[in-house]
Amino acid sequence: MMKSFKRLLNADEGTILTEALIVVPFVTIFAVGILEFGNVFWQRHLLEVGVRDAARYWSRCKPSFNPCSVTIARNFAFFGNPDGTGPLRVPNWYGDVALTITPLEPPVEPDETDLVVVTGETIYAASPLVSMLRIGDVAISYSHQQRYIGW
């Protein structure tokens, strides 16, 4: 009995398998976490770009020169073009609540104190793997203000 116990303690045939069984789950969770964290930052970046595009359009809109449309500003934010065609920039980011533009009507004669403020909000669209963890909703928001200059 003692002889077989000593042989078991000195055996090294299964060490690689044992180490792999211990390490692989942690490395996998760590890698998925890094990828998911990067995806959160990517969706926030796309939200920032959309909000800035809408603010840029609205701050250069001059009603006496060209009719301005809140719909076009929203299309710039959500789709990246004035027509509102193509895929959404950020998954699940669409609707009246998701983007607020202040003021809703551009001033006829702007002065140096007129500001355009655009705010975008969405809930992060997580991957199915992270959704199984039931972490909860991660809200992403961004606000941008720009001086109104008209065309």
Side-chain angles (χ1 to χ4, degrees):
M1 176 86 164
M2 196 65 152
K3 202 180 220 185
S4 60
F5 185 68
K6 283 184 181 181
R7 190 175 45 145
L8 181 64
L9 287 177
N10 292 332
D12 59 357
E13 289 89 22
T15 57
I16 294 174
L17 178 64
T18 306
E19 289 172 0
L21 288 174
I22 293 171
V23 171
V24 167
F26 291 108
V27 171
T28 304
I29 290 170
F30 186 67
V32 168
I34 288 173
L35 293 173
E36 201 67 32
F37 199 65
N39 197 25
V40 169
F41 279 116
W42 178 245
Q43 285 189 19
R44 185 177 191 282
H45 171 71
L46 292 176
L47 182 97
E48 287 178 24
V49 170
V51 166
R52 276 191 255 138
D53 284 350
R56 190 176 302 118
Y57 167 78
W58 202 245
S59 70
R60 286 165 175 77
C61 227
K62 190 165 187 173
S64 60
F65 176 70
N66 193 8
C68 302
S69 169
V70 174
T71 304
I72 292 176
R74 290 182 186 282
N75 287 343
F76 272 123
F78 297 135
F79 299 101
N81 60 56
D83 303 326
T85 58
L88 290 170
R89 284 185 199 230
V90 179
N92 304 328
W93 184 44
Y94 190 74
D96 292 338
V97 179
L99 188 78
T100 55
I101 301 172
T102 309
L104 277 176
E105 292 291 327
V108 179
E109 291 296 323
D111 64 4
E112 64 274 355
T113 61
D114 290 329
L115 289 176
V116 171
V117 179
V118 179
T119 304
E121 298 174 348
T122 188
I123 301 296
Y124 170 64
S127 69
L129 185 62
V130 173
S131 299
M132 288 187 304
L133 297 176
R134 300 179 194 255
I135 294 173
D137 292 340
V138 177
I140 303 172
S141 64
Y142 182 74
S143 184
H144 180 76
Q145 69 180 16
Q146 194 162 334
R147 195 177 77 165
Y148 182 80
I149 57 174
W151 272 327

